[in-house]
Amino acid sequence: MSNENEQNGTNEMTAATLTTPTGPGGRILLGVFEMMNPNNGMPTWTHPQGRGDDWDQLDYWVGLAKELDAAGFDFLFFADTYGYATLGGRMPEEVAAHGIQFPALDPMLAIPALARETENIGFVVTSPTTVERPYATARRFGTLDRFTSGRIGWNVVTGSSQATTDELFGVTTQLSHDGKYDAADSFLDTCLRYWEHSWDDDAEVRDRATGVYADPAKLHRVEVSDDHQRSAGIFAVPPTPQRTPVLFQAGTSDRGRAYAARNAEAVFIQGQTIDSAAAHVRDIREQAVRNGRRPEDIAVVTGMTVTVAPTRAEADALRAEYESVLGQDDAAVMFAGITGLDLTGLDPETRVVDLTTDLGQTLIQRYARQNPEMKVGDILDQFRTKAIRGFQITGTPEEVADEIEAIIDGSGIDGIMLEPTFGGPAAYRAFIELVVPILAARGRVAGAPDAAPTLRERFSGAPRLAPTHRAHRLAPKASDDRILTPILNGAHE
Ligand SMILES: Cc1cc2nc3c(=O)[nH]c(=O)nc-3n(C[C@H](O)[C@H](O)[C@H](O)COP(=O)(O)O)c2cc1C
């Protein structure tokens, strides 16, 4: 806080606007990572700054969305899962007793209320490809795109807590890890066919004089029949502002990255170091280019836990208080929910590279990339304080702003997703009051509402999927696809 002008945003540099490009030196996309449960994964619901009493109240989420909207945040992201963590097929005591991502409500149902009470902020909702059906998913997101006037995104996941989710839904066929991503490709293609190809742009006539609502000649029947999906018919939802919701993706196993490079417009990573995040960004973008896309077609956002206070000592004390409420048993339970592996039941000397799973591989691969010799005991220790989180930043407002800029500029990442500490909105409030004005004065964020008609325009400047996206090369009928033909940039084949 050395420069008062910076704090007031009155120095020569002006705040970023939506036309400022993202990336090194540019605008930083600002989001918040939430889950609709008591504490967002950490056993913090009883803390005075927790949200144990509020998390199931719609007003709580409306209030949060309004605060973020007023501060110029680009999006509010909801992770979600139908399942919960299990060990050996049973719900461990900690899950219910400590509220570890349980119980939980369905965030998708809150979105119209949040959108109605806000002006600009976008909303990203997680929905899994393993138990949902493509047509229902396409219709729900189409409806949300209409009701939010184009402020919706979909975090496409094959799913965490898959063991319980499968049980809850009666899924009996078990696909391999990569097989789930193959099925997810087919799932998304089916949705894309409905969103992008079932209605021509001018099919919805709504002509009172002639009494024609929609021109039947401009509607196209979608037909998909492959190893994973069977769906045929005409989409019931007319074209919406974005047609396709902004496509987020989060799994970063090798197969997950390949999926992202093919499909995603935004990739959510949990960056750990600038170097490893930079390598990750490079890898995703190189793979995207091999898929006929431009590097800038994919925005990368990293999770980040920021503990900020006016003085370093206060920030350190707050962080220490936060870490003191985290326990290793809770961490082990959450790890098991994501990976299906009970680390407490393994020899602590087991090497991470020797672990295998058909559930989420992101965490295992993350630790293996860090250090192939890492042991199960070391993972549990690290996971206690970091869990499924990205960069951990603690400091004064100036220190935090400097570190965020260093991360963004050193890695090629486009934005950050703030992770809550004690569960309630206090952490975001401190960030909004202490850090946002500094980043705005440095020209890195808007710092105030900045109107983009759609969420996609915040990311790419255009309301519709980039012309290089493979969705444009799909045809309504799967058999008409020429997916493997060379890409004609910008052309609808
Ligand atoms: C940062 C991050 C966030 C995720 N969020 C969710 C989520 O909200 N819901 C869910 O079901 N799965 C979530 N996942 C799971 C993945 O999207 C993916 O389906 C799963 O991890 C398997 O893929 P992987 O092996 O590539 O990790 C998340 C994964 C990561 C890395």
Side-chain angles (χ1 to χ4, degrees), residues 23 28 30-31 41 43 121 132 154 178 183 187 200 229 234-235 288 363 366 402 470:
I28 299 171
L30 276 188
I121 191 167
E132 298 288 4
W154 172 23
D178 290 5
F187 188 112
D200 290 348
Q229 309 296 342
I234 292 167
F235 198 29
L363 285 171
R366 179 208 289 174
D402 289 349
R470 49 187 294 284

Side-chain angles (χ1 to χ4, degrees), residues 466-484:
T468 43
H469 197 281
R470 49 187 294 284
H472 298 300
R473 305 193 307 280
L474 298 170
K477 291 186 185 153
S479 55
D480 292 346
D481 282 354
R482 281 159 290 163
I483 300 173
L484 299 176

Side-chain angles (χ1 to χ4, degrees), residues 98 110 130 146 155-156 162 211 224 242 264 286 317 349 392 451 467:
H98 300 169
T130 33
R146 278 254 156 152
N155 181 35
V156 187
Q162 281 171 18
V224 179
Q242 303 184 114
E286 279 167 14
E349 289 301 306
Q392 308 291 294

Side-chain angles (χ1 to χ4, degrees), residues 222-267:
V222 167
E223 286 179 17
V224 179
S225 177
D226 62 25
D227 288 348
H228 304 289
Q229 309 296 342
R230 189 156 300 184
S231 179
I234 292 167
F235 198 29
V237 183
T240 60
Q242 303 184 114
R243 279 191 181 251
T244 296
V246 178
L247 299 172
F248 272 62
Q249 194 274 352
T252 52
S253 62
D254 291 341
R255 183 61 181 90
R257 289 182 190 203
Y259 188 86
R262 222 163 106 89
N263 300 305
E265 301 176 271
V267 174

